[in-house]
Amino acid sequence: MNDLLRQIRNERRANLWLGVELLVVFAVMWYLVDWTYVTVRTWLQPMGFDTEHCYELTFNRLTPQAEGYRAEDDAEADMRHLLEIVERLRHRPGVEYVAVSQNSIPYNDGSNGFGLLIDSVQTRAMLRWGQPDYFRLFRVQGVAVLTEDGRKVPTASPDSLAETLRRSTRHVVVSRNYVSASRYPELGYADALPLLGYEGGLRDDGTYSYKITGICEPMRWSHFSTTEQWGGPVGAYTLLDDEIINLGNPLYVQVSLRLEPEADTGAQFVEALLDDADRLYTLGNVFLLDVQPFTALQRTMEMDDVNEARTQLCVIGFLLLNIFLGVIGTFWFRTQHRRSEIALRMAFGSTRRGVFRRLIKEGLLLLTLAAVPAALIAFNVGMAELVDVERMPFDAVRFLWALGMTWVLMAGMVVLGIWYPACQAMKIQPAEALYDE
């Protein structure tokens, strides 16, 4: 090691420009690796729900000009007809669950707010307002529930969440991170588990308007958002039939359906359901308008983010290709011009393997020396929040992971840039190489 450091110092004029190049390239590459790490890490996080084999059904009502319009049916009658159609769907062969919700389905283009007063602090989150089967339909994972006799029971079952909402209209389910330290540090809670059994909203008669009886896992807004961003922290309570009727328009609610895996035939199911729509799922002025799988909703909702990510990945790929060719070309040229040194070392008894190892070690040492100031630059860039800190905080794990991966990638480029020209140089006889020089 001392011998390599001495050689690098002796050749400091040539190595200075190489070191500057490696420093700049290392810092730029760290930024690219960091963005890729954050994006991939965010994408791979659990969504908190499962939409496989799920479909959204859109209902509408006939206009007065339409054939078959019933003028005697008002808005209340239309919504009662919708509830009757939903009940018919529950009995359709192959259907596992059906639930009505309002502005709450996954991959929706809108949302409602939800608020609770916890220890004099007003808390906010996204509202998941639907029938109890909503949790079963979307396989929302539970954390814990409060039983009828007041026991706190850990559970991952969506059935437990559905049952606790079904027991009372004032029961509320919140996500694990509803009052996390990052959202409400003044409350002093690490998660929402201590809130299980909490009652609030004191009425004049001494009763409480709500009681937290269930904790669920966070539900992410999309694959490009985290559990701490909007849509992750959630609160939920039951959407009652009377509330559905009061909404007054089938377009204001969302009917979701989950099929048994063996019954999900994709386009064939959609076609069969629409074929039966006039006969089974049209009642009064209410009719089935459209059926879409949730994969289509996801694709539509995430289209802009996916296109942006693809564009950024193409830019990153182009930059990485240029970095790859630049680093390899630099070390290739450098090794080619050291043929006389390689020949001289072999003439004095060094083995080919020994010479090769020395060249590799020298290249990696140069990279490591350049990585130290580059790491300081990268750290200051992160601390200045010039990287993406909305989806992931800039902490030691994130910094060191990106730093290590950057070093590994660049080390691979250095080795490739040295390996082939060094092997070619070592095939030449030492006397021939010295004669050419």
Side-chain angles (χ1 to χ4, degrees):
M1 181 64 70
N2 291 333
D3 187 30
L4 287 174
L5 289 172
R6 192 180 306 112
Q7 180 177 345
I8 290 173
R9 185 172 62 251
N10 292 337
E11 299 174 356
R12 56 184 174 273
R13 180 173 296 180
N15 289 330
L16 176 62
W17 294 109
L18 179 59
V20 171
E21 177 187 349
L22 290 174
L23 185 153
V24 173
V25 169
F26 193 99
V28 172
M29 194 161 181
W30 174 87
Y31 187 87
L32 302 179
V33 170
D34 177 78
W35 180 87
T36 305
Y37 171 72
V38 171
T39 302
V40 173
R41 181 79 178 270
T42 302
W43 180 277
L44 294 178
Q45 284 182 352
M47 292 299 295
F49 54 84
D50 176 21
T51 56
E52 189 177 8
H53 310 304
C54 293
Y55 293 81
E56 183 202 13
L57 281 61
T58 303
F59 289 87
N60 203 351
R61 56 186 177 189
L62 298 173
T63 61
Q65 295 77 24
E67 182 181 354
Y69 176 76
R70 296 173 55 175
E72 65 274 15
D73 285 355
D74 56 8
E76 179 180 343
D78 289 341
M79 299 309 287
R80 292 190 182 278
H81 289 153
L82 175 66
L83 290 174
E84 174 61 28
I85 293 172
V86 168
E87 195 61 32
R88 292 181 183 181
L89 285 167
R90 289 194 174 103
H91 294 88
R92 184 180 178 89
V95 172
E96 194 171 0
Y97 296 109
V98 181
V100 181
S101 58
Q102 205 281 322
N103 219 18
S104 299
I105 61 172
Y107 308 120
N108 192 37
D109 57 359
S111 62
N112 295 326
F114 171 85
L116 294 177
L117 192 65
I118 306 292
D119 297 340
S120 302
V121 175
Q122 184 63 46
T123 60
R124 301 290 297 175
M126 179 177 168
L127 173 63
R128 301 287 182 173
W129 191 24
Q131 294 177 324
D133 278 346
Y134 176 96
F135 288 90
R136 294 189 176 103
L137 193 151
F138 293 115
R139 302 281 195 266
V140 180
Q141 296 298 301
V143 177
V145 295
L146 192 72
T147 60
E148 288 188 84
D149 55 5
R151 291 181 297 110
K152 297 180 179 180
V153 179
T155 178
S157 171
D159 295 336
S160 300
L161 299 174
E163 285 305 316
T164 190
L165 288 180
R166 196 184 298 278
R167 286 202 305 267
S168 173
T169 57
R170 71 186 191 98
H171 285 183
V172 172
V173 171
V174 297
S175 60
R176 183 201 290 268
N177 65 342
Y178 183 77
V179 288
S180 62
S182 61
R183 300 187 71 235
Y184 297 102
E186 63 271 27
L187 289 175
Y189 295 120
D191 55 38
L193 285 173
L195 296 181
L196 202 57
Y198 183 92
E199 293 183 287
L202 184 63
R203 297 168 175 159
D204 294 336
D205 59 0
T207 61
Y208 291 94
S209 60
Y210 69 86
K211 182 177 182 179
I212 298 176
T213 59
I215 308 293
C216 68
E217 294 292 351
M219 301 173 65
R220 293 166 58 199
W221 180 259
S222 75
H223 284 88
F224 295 89
S225 63
T226 68
T227 55
E228 294 299 318
Q229 293 177 300
W230 180 253
V234 299
Y237 53 85
T238 301
L239 176 62
L240 303 173
D241 287 355
D242 289 343
E243 292 169 326
I244 295 173
I245 293 171
N246 289 336
L247 289 172
N249 191 325
L251 288 174
Y252 294 166
V253 298
Q254 297 151 324
V255 179
S256 305
L257 175 149
R258 171 177 284 275
L259 293 175
E260 297 172 353
E262 58 274 11
D264 188 4
T265 55
Q268 293 181 2
F269 164 75
V270 173
E271 184 179 353
L273 187 63
L274 292 175
D275 287 343
D276 293 338
D278 290 340
R279 182 170 55 90
L280 298 175
Y281 308 121
T282 298
L283 197 59
N285 294 326
V286 179
F287 65 96
L288 178 60
L289 177 64
D290 190 23
V291 181
Q292 288 191 84
F294 270 83
T295 51
L297 298 181
Q298 176 190 346
R299 186 166 53 251
T300 301
M301 190 258 194
E302 295 181 346
M303 183 180 298
D304 291 341
D305 290 324
V306 169
N307 290 337
E308 181 181 353
R310 285 176 177 171
T311 301
Q312 291 177 342
L313 286 173
C314 288
V315 173
I316 288 174
F318 176 75
L319 292 174
L320 287 178
L321 179 62
N322 281 271
I323 291 171
F324 177 76
L325 295 176
V327 171
I328 285 182
T330 298
F331 278 90
W332 191 301
F333 180 80
R334 187 171 183 269
T335 305
Q336 280 284 81
H337 279 258
R338 298 176 68 182
R339 292 173 63 209
S340 59
E341 178 190 335
I342 294 172
L344 189 61
R345 290 185 180 279
M346 293 179 64
F348 278 92
S350 294
T351 63
R352 291 183 176 182
R353 179 173 295 181
V355 173
F356 182 75
R357 285 180 177 175
R358 181 181 179 86
L359 292 173
I360 294 296
K361 288 179 181 178
E362 181 186 354
L364 295 180
L365 182 58
L366 280 169
L367 172 63
T368 303
L369 292 174
V372 174
L376 294 176
I377 294 172
F379 180 77
N380 283 281
V381 168
M383 292 302 294
E385 296 187 353
L386 298 177
V387 293
D388 187 351
V389 293
E390 292 185 1
R391 294 186 294 176
M392 186 179 296
F394 183 74
D395 53 17
V397 174
R398 171 179 171 179
F399 171 70
L400 293 175
W401 193 97
L403 196 69
M405 184 56 65
T406 302
W407 191 91
V408 169
L409 290 173
M410 290 201 63
M413 297 177 190
V414 169
V415 170
L416 284 174
I418 294 173
W419 170 71
Y420 184 76
C423 288
Q424 293 297 107
M426 287 184 290
K427 289 179 181 179
I428 302 175
Q429 293 299 320
E432 182 183 343
L434 292 172
Y435 177 81
D436 291 340
E437 292 294 330

